[in-house]
Amino acid sequence: MMTCMNTESCDPAESAALREIFATRPDAVPPAGWEAVRSFETEHGVVLPEPYRSFVAEISDGLRAGPPHYGLLPLAQTPSDWGAGRAERPLAEPFPLTEVWLWEGEEAEGEEEGPDQEFQARVDAVYDHGSLLLGTDGCGMYWHLITTGPQRGHIWLIDEYGAIPFGTRPGTPLMPGTPGFAGWVARWAQDRSWFADD
């Protein structure tokens, strides 16, 4: 069972909550504006999910203090540790997951020399298809906003061990909270751990 979110129009209550959280943050980056958002969408063949879309256009285009730990990235940026020379990320390709995938150790079942090509292609698609990078908690832990596919509007944590969706819904007890961008920001603003066991 999937949690339904309205990713097509911005809920006024979510927008107000985001404004309140970011109004008190002096290091919030000014909003990008609607022209920049629409240009980004045209370039990448996507429409960003709400409320993130309106947030970037009208409230803020990033925050150095977080979320996540190393800051909320401005639209179209990648973290400094993402790696130079990587292929362009296809945001219009559907994000391939709908549930947790912990792949650590799974590659050991493949070739002795390391992960096989099919396995690596699946992992690469999780990192690169249908998501916008929001930022990093360091140590290769990246937060993604899903832009395309059944998980559109959800936030996922993707790292060397696997991919986990943020928010309480069946089968995902690892990271409780209200799914989506506004819920993710609210949990950070309350200074609460991302994980259920912390």
Side-chain angles (χ1 to χ4, degrees), residues 78-103:
T78 55
S80 60
D81 65 346
W82 185 249
R86 290 178 70 151
E88 186 169 335
R89 305 180 68 250
L91 273 61
E93 287 288 324
F95 182 71
L97 301 179
T98 57
E99 58 187 50
V100 173
W101 180 26
L102 300 177
W103 56 67

Side-chain angles (χ1 to χ4, degrees), residues 151-171:
Q151 288 289 294
R152 185 173 185 270
H154 288 271
I155 307 289
W156 283 64
L157 176 64
I158 303 172
D159 65 16
E160 64 183 309
Y161 305 109
I164 304 169
F166 169 80
T168 303
R169 58 187 195 267

Side-chain angles (χ1 to χ4, degrees), residues 8-189:
E8 302 306 317
S9 61
C10 189
D11 180 330
E14 288 183 335
S15 183
L18 289 166
R19 283 183 192 281
E20 184 176 332
I21 290 168
F22 280 79
T24 62
R25 312 280 177 175
D27 59 341
V29 178
W34 283 109
E35 185 176 334
V37 168
R38 289 183 186 109
S39 175
F40 175 87
E41 291 174 333
T42 299
E43 179 183 344
H44 293 280
V46 297
V47 174
L48 296 172
E50 292 289 359
Y52 179 78
R53 184 175 195 252
S54 292
F55 169 81
V56 170
E58 299 177 354
I59 299 171
S60 176
D61 188 20
L63 180 68
R64 288 178 279 286
H69 184 75
Y70 289 98
L72 180 61
L73 292 169
L75 185 63
Q77 286 194 7
T78 55
S80 60
D81 65 346
W82 185 249
R86 290 178 70 151
E88 186 169 335
R89 305 180 68 250
L91 273 61
E93 287 288 324
F95 182 71
L97 301 179
T98 57
E99 58 187 50
V100 173
W101 180 26
L102 300 177
W103 56 67
E104 181 188 28
E106 197 172 308
E107 71 274 7
E109 298 170 10
E111 300 292 325
E112 290 293 322
E113 300 83 36
D116 64 35
Q117 290 181 340
E118 183 179 324
F119 171 82
Q120 192 58 53
R122 287 181 60 214
V123 171
D124 290 348
V126 171
Y127 272 100
D128 292 330
H129 290 187
S131 70
L132 181 75
L133 282 160
L134 296 176
T136 180
D137 276 330
C139 299
M141 297 173 65
Y142 301 104
W143 291 96
H144 295 245
L145 170 66
I146 308 307
T147 58
T148 313
Q151 288 289 294
R152 185 173 185 270
H154 288 271
I155 307 289
W156 283 64
L157 176 64
I158 303 172
D159 65 16
E160 64 183 309
Y161 305 109
I164 304 169
F166 169 80
T168 303
R169 58 187 195 267
T172 60
L174 295 173
M175 282 196 280
T178 303
F181 181 73
W184 181 71
V185 170
R187 189 164 181 94
W188 167 79

